[in-house]
Amino acid sequence: MLFRLQPEGRELLSAQVDGESPLRGLGMLAVFSGHLDAGNIARQVNDTLLERLDHQLLASFDADQLVDYRSRRPHITFDGQRFTDYRAPELQLHLVNDVLGKPFLLLSGQEPDYQWERFVSSVLFLVEELDVRLVTMLDAMPLPVPHTRPLGVTAHGSREELVAGLSTWSPQARMLSGVGQLLELRLEEASYDTSGYTIHVPHYLADATYPQAAVSALEYAGAALERMLPTDELREKGREIDLELDRQTESSGEIRAMVTGLEQNFDQHATQSGEVRSLLLNRDAQVPDAESLGAAVEEYLSSQPRHAQEHVQPRSIMPSRSQDHLNLDDTGSREEDADATDGTRPDSPSED
């Protein structure tokens, strides 16, 4: 077996409420670090949900069978005399309650290096056993788009009403696959409902931790799964990063020229593409502006005891060695994936 049910998972599976297990019939959110992980979206989504929401571990997958330790070496601490705090790779299934106490399933962790078909078969077994009603996938890809414009998305999946008309860029292409794409394919072949949202991250921020991408991803996931997911802290961090990006853009003529060129291309494409519908509203409903929507969500979340505002440490954002690349120096926030760069660049040799 590639996974092991935790005692809590066995108890919940066997528990009956009005003749049914409380685990059955839920939606599942799946997000994997590694491939198509621009902006460090997977870790941000995973950490936000597990740090801000009540959750229980249901099942753990066997990392020794799935992960190539030499290509993505785990971290360990040396205190000057002894080794401590070994961080083993994790791939887990949690039961999570949203901010209103409504449950959903979260499958998250490092993308497997080995045994993809066996892993996918194990996930399909859990989906069938738990009678999962919808599996929603999240990831992000780097594109030549500016940080000064709304983040785009490529929507995909079998649930037409959850993906139709949402994509701001929807190419037909042969591409390198990740386990998330294989999982979505196998789910659809087995006639399970799926929806997926690939967030478009500015290419010069692909290797950084970019909170705006995680906010966008959580909004799409929450709408698809009909769950209220926390984004207030990510929004606050995103505002700080936006200010620093603006400062750096103004201080560098080369960066300013690059961003201006991306803005012109983006605006031209947006004008030609026409209007894209919102997953949050009916087709004839009026879309509120981003500030109004963000303020309303934050006002609600801040009124909840679990989501009181916490002090946010400022981030350092510095130009990289490349003239056209801005990089967030997010010290300590990517330590588990520091050696894994295959998810943010399409030409990564580790994906061949």
Side-chain angles (χ1 to χ4, degrees):
M1 289 287 287
L2 281 183
F3 70 91
R4 178 168 56 90
L5 281 175
Q6 301 299 310
E8 296 85 354
R10 294 194 196 97
E11 291 176 8
L12 287 170
L13 274 173
S14 61
Q16 299 291 319
V17 178
D18 296 329
E20 295 183 1
S21 167
L23 285 182
R24 290 188 167 87
L26 301 178
M28 177 186 289
L29 175 60
V31 57
F32 307 106
S33 63
H35 183 64
L36 291 183
D37 191 21
N40 194 20
I41 187 176
R43 180 164 182 172
Q44 292 186 87
V45 167
N46 183 70
D47 288 354
T48 296
L49 295 178
L50 296 185
E51 290 174 4
R52 302 294 304 279
L53 300 175
D54 292 328
H55 61 274
Q56 289 179 285
L57 178 62
L58 300 181
S60 298
F61 286 84
D62 188 353
D64 278 353
Q65 297 189 58
L66 297 173
V67 175
D68 181 356
Y69 287 82
R70 293 200 301 171
S71 68
R72 293 188 288 180
R73 294 184 182 275
H75 283 74
I76 193 169
T77 299
F78 182 62
D79 64 7
Q81 185 175 356
R82 301 175 62 188
F83 290 101
T84 62
D85 192 26
Y86 171 68
R87 302 288 183 88
E90 294 179 333
L91 188 52
Q92 300 175 327
L93 178 68
H94 287 88
L95 174 66
V96 185
N97 292 323
D98 76 351
V99 298
L100 297 179
K102 295 182 178 181
F104 65 97
L105 300 169
L106 173 64
L107 176 64
S108 62
Q110 290 191 19
E111 178 189 41
D113 295 296
Y114 305 122
Q115 304 189 48
W116 279 15
E117 291 287 3
R118 287 191 65 205
F119 169 73
V120 168
S121 295
S122 297
V123 175
L124 263 67
F125 171 82
L126 290 169
V127 167
E128 180 178 6
E129 183 70 18
L130 299 172
D131 190 25
V132 173
R133 61 178 178 83
L134 172 70
V135 179
T136 294
M137 320 287 297
L138 293 178
D139 52 27
M141 65 186 303
L143 285 178
V145 294
H147 68 276
T148 54
R149 296 293 187 268
L151 294 180
V153 66
T154 298
H156 41 88
S158 62
R159 281 283 295 274
E160 184 72 14
E161 72 275 17
L162 297 180
V163 300
L166 293 177
S167 295
T168 54
W169 184 64
S170 185
Q172 296 184 8
R174 190 78 178 167
M175 58 181 285
L176 297 176
S177 177
V179 78
Q181 290 73 52
L182 178 61
L183 175 59
E184 185 174 322
L185 173 63
R186 296 291 184 249
L187 284 165
E188 293 181 15
E189 290 175 344
S191 300
Y192 290 106
D193 287 344
T194 63
S195 66
Y197 307 98
T198 301
I199 308 303
H200 303 164
V201 174
H203 68 282
Y204 49 90
L205 298 173
D207 294 328
T209 295
Y210 193 50
Q212 292 86 331
V215 169
S216 183
L218 286 169
E219 287 178 339
Y220 281 109
L225 295 170
E226 299 179 338
R227 294 296 183 262
M228 180 168 284
L229 306 180
T231 59
D232 53 324
E233 289 187 356
L234 289 170
R235 290 179 187 276
E236 182 62 30
K237 294 174 183 177
R239 279 191 282 267
E240 292 181 355
I241 288 176
D242 275 338
L243 290 174
E244 183 61 21
L245 285 172
D246 290 342
R247 184 191 67 79
Q248 290 194 28
T249 300
E250 290 302 317
S251 64
S252 170
E254 289 178 295
I255 294 177
R256 187 165 60 252
M258 177 195 69
V259 173
T260 299
L262 293 174
E263 289 174 339
Q264 292 172 349
N265 290 337
F266 182 96
D267 294 341
Q268 181 179 8
H269 172 76
T271 301
Q272 294 173 350
S273 299
E275 188 173 341
V276 177
R277 81 176 181 95
S278 170
L279 187 61
L280 303 175
L281 299 170
N282 296 328
R283 294 183 181 274
D284 56 351
Q286 183 176 0
V287 180
D289 61 75
E291 285 298 319
S292 299
L293 183 60
V297 173
E298 289 180 20
E299 181 180 359
Y300 172 81
L301 291 175
S302 65
S303 68
Q304 305 304 302
R306 286 182 56 82
H307 306 291
Q309 291 292 331
E310 298 176 2
H311 178 68
V312 179
Q313 293 295 330
R315 306 293 182 94
S316 173
I317 305 171
M318 299 179 290
S320 73
R321 294 184 180 92
S322 173
Q323 293 180 344
D324 65 345
H325 190 95
L326 293 176
N327 190 27
L328 307 182
D329 182 17
D330 190 23
T331 304
S333 69
R334 299 196 65 178
E335 60 181 23
E336 293 182 8
D337 298 322
D339 297 319
T341 59
D342 59 316
T344 57
R345 288 187 291 270
D347 58 348
S348 170
S350 62
E351 293 177 359
D352 292 340

